[in-house]
Amino acid sequence: MGDVITLIIDCIKSAASTIKNSSKKAKQGMFAAIAIIAIFASLSFTGTRIAYEVNYGGRNIATVSSKEQFNEALKLVTNMVESKGVETVVEKPTFSTTIVLSENINSTNEIANAIIDNTDAIVEASTLYVDGKAVLCAEKATLESALNTRLNAYKPSDVECTSRFTKSISQENSYYMTSDLANKDQVESVVNELEVITELRKTTDVMVPYTSTVKKTNEQIIGYSAVTVKGVSGVNRLTQDIVMVNGNVTSCVDVSNEVVIAPVNEVIVKGTAKTLASAKQKQEAHAAGFIFPVPAGTWRISSYWGDGRNHKGIDICANGGTSIFAVADGKVVHAGWKGDYGYCVIIEHASGMRTLYAHARQVCCSVGDTVSQGEVIALVGTTGQSTGNHVHFEVIVNGRRIDPAPYIGLDK
Ligand SMILES: [Zn+2]
């Protein structure tokens, strides 16, 4: 700087001595030159200089040292923007001369950025790469929103989970011309094709049904059934790791299955006895000498005495029309319809004991008849309160119904 000033002072001195010896016109020219030199000298001395303000799109966007600097910045913009034909969207600037501090002149990079910032047709955008291959470019926010929506598409609302794309997805930001960007619909149609893996840990309370145990007892009649311990379902807490691809479960692994409430297993007691008659009662029954009321080989017992529903006889199933025999000699005291019994025969035997045969299809005797043991008195049917062909057989002693089983040999 000192050298420049010395040089300028020398110039002025030499000019001044020249002026003394010059014509008027030459003197004027000399003074102008000196003035210009003086201006530059003072600019140089104060650290200021002449520069240009760049007016771009109606705004001053930068200060350049020369118009060439703007052109260099423009070249830089062309390199910074991925799109082709950037020159077509860059406006023509105007320049106005200004005096600024040297340090206030923008760098070429700053000018390039100012051009981009002030050109609506150029935006910063993201390129989407799928497995390293560029697929599209779009506004950063549009792309990120579409990717997030896709990732969350299969997330259950009630469980925490993680989602990722099957393919490797990356984004790179750069400058593009807006005309080169994919719109929202185009972005979504590409992004929504991406396969999404969702992984979650799910806990579910699962009902555990109780099991039933049957305990057989000879202290109850066949047909007797009672729940002695009520079954209560349990609850297990099942934790599973679930993997879904596009919302479809592709893997489900049990992590734990912990008992929250243990089930209470049901216990059912079932009777196995054909009769509960005492030895003495059996002996007395055998002494009566009854035969079985239907032919051998034609029957099966569907219901014993008592049987848990207070059954007051024995139900002997046989085909409709099967003969019903008088179990002992006696006198018919009822032969015909008897309410729920349907067609019914009652025979009175010696010692006042009676036997009753109900639900017959047909009665084959009349009141007052004397019948012999084994005589056909009726045919098996399902009349009255009955759901199928059978004989409801009763033994009545002194007007009281008693268990018929030992009387017809069903106690063995
Ligand atoms: Zn019955």
Side-chain angles (χ1 to χ4, degrees):
M1 181 64 92
D3 293 347
V4 176
I5 293 167
T6 316
L7 185 70
I8 290 168
I9 291 168
D10 288 348
C11 269
I12 293 170
K13 277 180 184 168
S14 109
S17 70
T18 314
I19 288 165
K20 277 183 190 169
N21 311 308
S22 302
S23 67
K24 192 181 176 189
K25 198 173 181 185
K27 280 179 184 169
Q28 284 171 344
M30 294 287 185
F31 275 120
I34 289 165
I36 289 166
I37 291 165
I39 287 168
F40 275 100
S42 89
L43 287 179
S44 171
F45 188 70
T46 56
T48 54
R49 56 166 295 174
I50 289 175
Y52 302 94
E53 281 197 335
V54 181
N55 185 287
Y56 183 88
R59 268 172 295 179
N60 285 334
I61 62 162
T63 305
V64 295
S65 59
S66 65
K67 294 174 187 177
E68 281 67 39
Q69 196 195 0
F70 181 83
N71 288 334
E72 275 167 33
L74 208 52
K75 275 185 207 159
L76 202 53
V77 170
T78 312
N79 288 336
M80 287 166 76
V81 176
E82 303 288 338
S83 302
K84 301 259 182 297
V86 171
E87 316 76 43
T88 61
V89 296
V90 172
E91 292 170 35
K92 208 151 184 66
T94 57
F95 299 93
S96 49
T97 313
T98 183
I99 293 169
V100 293
L101 288 168
S102 301
E103 67 203 48
N104 284 347
I105 291 177
N106 292 109
S107 70
T108 307
N109 262 330
E110 288 169 340
I111 299 158
N113 283 326
I115 294 170
I116 288 172
D117 287 348
N118 288 280
T119 308
D120 289 344
I122 298 173
V123 288
E124 191 177 8
S126 291
T127 302
L128 172 68
Y129 289 87
V130 177
D131 279 347
K133 199 178 139 207
V135 174
L136 56 78
C137 51
E139 269 180 32
K140 208 175 155 190
T142 306
L143 187 56
E144 278 179 357
S145 156
L147 287 170
N148 274 333
T149 305
R150 180 65 184 156
L151 270 184
N152 292 326
Y154 304 107
K155 279 190 175 179
S157 56
D158 53 340
V159 189
E160 260 190 50
C161 60
T162 57
S163 281
R164 60 189 159 84
F165 292 109
T166 316
K167 292 179 174 171
S168 121
I169 301 295
S170 60
Q171 298 162 69
E172 216 170 85
N173 293 340
S174 189
Y175 294 103
Y176 288 91
M177 274 163 42
T178 48
S179 55
D180 277 358
L181 299 184
N183 66 26
K184 188 167 174 275
D185 286 349
Q186 291 166 326
V187 171
E188 283 175 358
S189 74
V190 168
V191 168
N192 289 346
E193 286 299 310
L194 296 173
E195 202 170 66
V196 176
I197 295 181
T198 308
E199 290 173 317
L200 56 107
R201 178 161 286 191
K202 195 177 181 187
T203 299
T204 324
D205 282 353
V206 182
M207 198 264 278
V208 181
Y210 58 81
T211 58
S212 285
T213 310
V214 174
K215 281 190 180 169
K216 292 187 173 177
T217 174
N218 199 33
E219 289 173 7
Q220 296 290 353
I221 297 286
I222 292 170
Y224 171 90
S225 176
V227 174
T228 54
V229 178
K230 200 175 176 317
V232 180
S233 298
V235 176
N236 274 12
R237 190 150 296 156
L238 178 63
T239 303
Q240 295 170 305
D241 278 343
I242 294 170
V243 179
M244 296 190 293
V245 175
N246 286 354
N248 301 314
V249 174
T250 54
S251 156
C252 180
V253 177
D254 288 2
V255 179
S256 67
N257 194 3
E258 127 203 21
V259 176
V260 181
I261 302 169
V264 177
N265 290 331
E266 181 184 63
V267 178
I268 303 172
V269 172
K270 287 192 171 176
T272 56
K274 291 175 180 174
T275 178
L276 295 182
S278 66
K280 185 169 173 269
Q281 287 167 326
K282 284 179 187 175
Q283 204 178 12
E284 282 170 10
H286 296 161
F290 289 177
I291 61 163
F292 203 77
V294 294
T298 64
W299 56 270
R300 70 174 180 85
I301 304 300
S302 65
S303 177
Y304 286 87
W305 171 262
D307 110 354
R309 60 185 176 106
N310 202 23
H311 191 217
K312 293 298 184 190
I314 282 181
D315 289 341
I316 304 157
C317 290
N319 290 336
T322 303
S323 299
I324 302 174
F325 304 137
V327 294
D329 296 348
K331 191 178 161 190
V332 177
V333 294
H334 180 89
W337 193 264
K338 189 174 168 60
D340 285 352
Y341 285 113
Y343 286 111
C344 174
V345 174
I346 302 173
I347 299 172
E348 187 168 294
H349 307 283
S351 76
M353 186 183 291
R354 290 182 172 198
T355 51
L356 176 147
Y357 315 76
H359 310 303
R361 171 193 288 186
Q362 191 187 325
V363 168
C364 309
C365 58
S366 306
V367 174
D369 285 357
T370 299
V371 291
S372 312
Q373 185 177 54
E375 194 174 326
V376 176
I377 50 161
L379 302 178
V380 172
T382 179
T383 56
Q385 192 63 38
S386 169
T387 54
N389 286 307
H390 77 284
V391 185
H392 170 88
F393 178 68
E394 290 183 6
V395 174
I396 304 153
V397 178
N398 297 328
R400 204 165 57 86
R401 289 175 291 186
I402 57 168
D403 182 4
Y407 286 88
I408 51 175
L410 291 177
D411 56 327
K412 289 148 191 149

